C-alpha cells in the first residue's frame, strides 16, 4: 500500500475508524504485519493458503474476528490452487489446505466458524469455485465491520457517560475487519463525548496494548494512557474507571469467556472495587457446543515469548516459563456481554440461548 495504513474515507461527523489490518487486493490477501507495529507499517502479500495459516500462527494477523476473516480469504486461495491442479476434483484437493488453516490457532472459535461457513458453499459449486467463495469471504468481512459498529452503539448505550474506561490487549480495527469490538465501544463513547480518558494495559508478553492499542488510539486522536498490567488493580481502586471493556476469543454456552491472558484478574479487580466488566464479541465467537470455560482449549505458546522482548532476554538464562495465551473469566464476573444481536446482562446459558434463537 502506498500509505502507512489502509484508510477509509470518513465524513467529519463519522466516528474515528481509519485503520484496516487486512485487505483483499490484486487477487491476493494483504496483511498489515502486526509484529512490526508501531515501529513500521509493513504489508505482506499472501497468495496461498499455507502462507495465510503461517501468518495466523505467527501473529502477523491476530484477534479472533480478524483471524476468521483471514481464514475465509485463505479458503479462496486454497480453492484457486485446487481448481488449477484438480479441476472438477477440487473438493478433494482442497482438504490439506483446509486442515492447515484449521490448525493455525486453537482457541479463537471464529477461525473454525469462518471455515465452516465457507465449506457450506462447496456442494453448491459446480465450476470454478473462486468467484463464489471470494464473494462469501467479502460478505464475512463486511458483516464483521457492520457488527462491530452495532456493538459499539449497544455497548455505549449501556455505559452512558463515564470519566474513564480500561481495556486490555487489542480489540480494535487491527483485531477485526474494522472498527473493533471492545475498542469499537470506546470509539463510540469518544465520538459521543461520553468518555474523557482511555487506559490501556501493556498486555504482556506480546505487548498488544502497548504496541497496537496505544497506536490505534493515537492514529484516531483518542486520548489514552498506557499502564503496566500490574498497575490495573490500583488504577481501578482510584474510582475513575467505571467500566473495564474487553473482547473475547471464545464464549462458552454458560457465559464463561476465554480472552487474552490477564483478563481474569481484571474481572476480579473490577468486581472487588465496584467497577463493571463488559465483554464485547460477535455471535460468531459464541460456541454453544462448548459447555463451559473448562472445555475451551487454551493455547500455550513458546516460553521464549515471555523470556524475551523484541528478541532481547529479560529473564535469567535457562529459567523456565509458563506462557498460556488466554485465560477464562467465569460468567459470574461478567456484568454484560455485548453482541451485534443484543446485550446479555449477567450472561448464562439460558440468556445466551434466547439471544441466539432471537
Amino acid at each position: 500500500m502506498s500509505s502507512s495504513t489502509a484508510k477509509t474515507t470518513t465524513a467529519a461527523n463519522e466516528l474515528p475508524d481509519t485503520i484496516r489490518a487486512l485487505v483483499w487486493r490484486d487477487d491476493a490477501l494483504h496483511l498489515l504485519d502486526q509484529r512490526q507495529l508501531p515501529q513500521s507499517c509493513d504489508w505482506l502479500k499472501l497468495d496461498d493458503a499455507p502462507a495465510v495459516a503461517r501468518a495466523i500462527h505467527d501473529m502477523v494477523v491476530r484477534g479472533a474476528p480478524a483471524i476468521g476473516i483471514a481464514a475465509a480469504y485463505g479458503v479462496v486461495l486454497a480453492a484457486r490452487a485446487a481448481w488449477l491442479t484438480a479441476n472438477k476434483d477440487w473438493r478433494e484437493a482442497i482438504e490439506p489446505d483446509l486442515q492447515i488453516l484449521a490448525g493455525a490457532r486453537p482457541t479463537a472459535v471464529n477461525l473454525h466458524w469462518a471455515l465452516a461457513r465457507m465449506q457450506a458453499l462447496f456442494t453448491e459449486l459446480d465450476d470454478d469455485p473462486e468467484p463464489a467463495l471470494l464473494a462469501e469471504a467479502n460478505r464475512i468481512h463486511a458483516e464483521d465491520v457492520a457488527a462491530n459498529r452495532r456493538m459499539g452503539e449497544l455497548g455505549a448505550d449501556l455505559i452512558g457517560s463515564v470519566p474513564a474506561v480500561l481495556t486490555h490487549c487489542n480489540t480494535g480495527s487491527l483485531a477485526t475487519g474494522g472498527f473493533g469490538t471492545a475498542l469499537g465501544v470506546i470509539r463510540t463513547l469518544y465520538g459521543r463525548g461520553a468518555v474523557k480518558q482511555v487506559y490501556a494495559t501493556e498486555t504482556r508478553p506480546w505487548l498488544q496494548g502497548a504496541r497496537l492499542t496505544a497506536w490505534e488510539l493515537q492514529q484516531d486522536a483518542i486520548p489514552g494512557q498506557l499502564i503496566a498490567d500490574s498497575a490495573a488493580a490500583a488504577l481501578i481502586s482510584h474510582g475513575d474507571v467505571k467500566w473495564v471493556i474487553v473482547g473475547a476469543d471464545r464464549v462458552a454456552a454458560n457465559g464463561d469467556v476465554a480472552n487474552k491472558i490477564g483478563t481474569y484478574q481484571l474481572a476480579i479487580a473490577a468486581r472487588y472495587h465496584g467497577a463493571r466488566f463488559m465483554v464485547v464479541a460477535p455471535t460468531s465467537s459464541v460456541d454453544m457446543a462448548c459447555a463451559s470455560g473448562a472445555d475451551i482449549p487454551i493455547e500455550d505458546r513458546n516460553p521464549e515469548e515471555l523470556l524475551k522482548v523484541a528478541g532481547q532476554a529479560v529473564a535469567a538464562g535457562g529459567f523456565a516459563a509458563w506462557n498460556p495465551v488466554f485465560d477464562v473469566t467465569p460468567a459470574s464476573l461478567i456484568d454484560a456481554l455485548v453482541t451485534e444481536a443484543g446485550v446479555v446482562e449477567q450472561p448464562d446459558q439460558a440468556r445466551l440461548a434466547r439471544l441466539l434463537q432471537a
Side-chain angles (χ1 to χ4, degrees):
M1 297 237 161
S2 57
S3 61
S4 61
T5 57
K7 300 207 174 211
T8 55
T9 301
T10 56
N13 63 341
E14 290 187 349
L15 299 173
D17 178 27
T18 65
I19 299 160
R20 290 295 178 269
L22 66 174
V23 178
W24 180 269
R25 183 171 57 86
D26 299 332
D27 297 323
L29 177 61
H30 296 253
L31 296 179
L32 180 60
D33 189 346
Q34 298 187 38
R35 301 168 301 180
Q36 307 306 320
L37 288 171
Q39 282 74 26
S40 64
C41 297
D42 300 332
W43 286 85
L44 303 181
K45 179 181 178 181
L46 309 180
D47 53 16
D48 63 61
V52 175
R54 286 193 298 273
I56 292 171
H57 178 270
D58 294 345
M59 307 273 281
V60 172
V61 61
R62 25 70 51 208
I67 287 171
I69 296 164
Y73 285 123
V75 175
V76 177
L77 296 170
R80 176 191 298 167
W83 178 260
L84 288 174
T85 58
N87 202 261
K88 294 292 185 180
D89 295 324
W90 66 270
R91 292 176 185 82
E92 292 74 26
I94 200 175
E95 280 301 319
D97 277 350
L98 295 180
Q99 292 302 315
I100 291 170
L101 287 167
R105 296 201 64 186
T107 303
V109 72
N110 303 64
L111 169 65
H112 304 284
W113 170 86
L115 292 176
R117 178 163 162 178
M118 297 294 285
Q119 287 177 272
L121 294 181
F122 284 9
T123 57
E124 304 173 11
L125 306 176
D126 295 323
D127 296 317
D128 181 359
E130 183 179 350
L133 291 174
L134 177 57
E136 185 70 359
N138 286 334
R139 278 191 290 271
I140 290 172
H141 195 164
E143 287 169 8
D144 182 69
V145 178
N148 293 341
R149 286 187 169 271
R150 177 61 177 157
M151 289 186 286
E153 294 173 357
L154 292 172
D157 287 346
L158 181 62
I159 290 172
S161 180
V162 290
V165 296
L166 171 64
T167 191
H168 185 56
C169 195
N170 173 261
T171 58
S173 296
L174 291 172
T176 65
F179 198 69
T181 54
L183 204 55
V185 172
I186 292 169
R187 290 182 195 278
T188 307
L189 286 169
Y190 179 71
R192 295 178 178 182
V195 67
K196 296 178 181 179
Q197 184 68 40
V198 179
Y199 291 98
T201 60
E202 60 181 350
T203 322
R204 280 280 288 147
W206 266 77
L207 297 169
Q208 293 99 322
R211 295 188 304 105
L212 306 179
T213 297
W215 182 77
E216 278 205 45
L217 294 172
Q218 187 178 58
Q219 295 300 301
D220 287 335
I222 299 173
Q225 281 189 286
L226 187 67
I227 65 167
D229 292 5
S230 52
L235 174 67
I236 296 170
S237 75
H238 293 168
D240 282 348
V241 172
K242 302 300 184 185
W243 282 86
V244 177
I245 312 172
V246 303
D249 284 76
R250 188 179 302 213
V251 180
N254 72 338
D256 293 348
V257 166
N259 193 50
K260 183 57 58 187
I261 191 72
T263 301
Y264 180 29
Q265 62 200 31
L266 291 177
I268 294 170
R271 180 58 54 92
Y272 183 82
H273 290 294
R276 301 187 71 189
F277 192 85
M278 175 183 288
V279 175
V280 188
T283 52
S284 57
S285 295
V286 179
D287 185 1
M288 295 302 286
C290 183
S292 74
D295 301 308
I296 298 176
I298 300 299
E299 179 183 1
D300 283 318
R301 290 181 67 88
N302 191 333
E304 291 294 299
E305 296 177 353
L306 184 61
L307 298 171
K308 296 181 179 180
V309 174
Q312 299 298 310
V314 294
F319 204 71
W322 177 50
N323 186 27
V325 187
F326 306 96
D327 57 25
V328 173
T329 300
S332 59
L333 294 176
I334 299 169
D335 292 291
L337 171 65
V338 177
T339 77
E340 78 280 14
V343 177
V344 180
E345 298 189 63
Q346 286 78 53
D348 59 19
Q349 185 162 356
R351 292 186 176 101
L352 274 176
R354 284 197 296 270
L355 174 79
L356 295 179
Q357 288 169 0

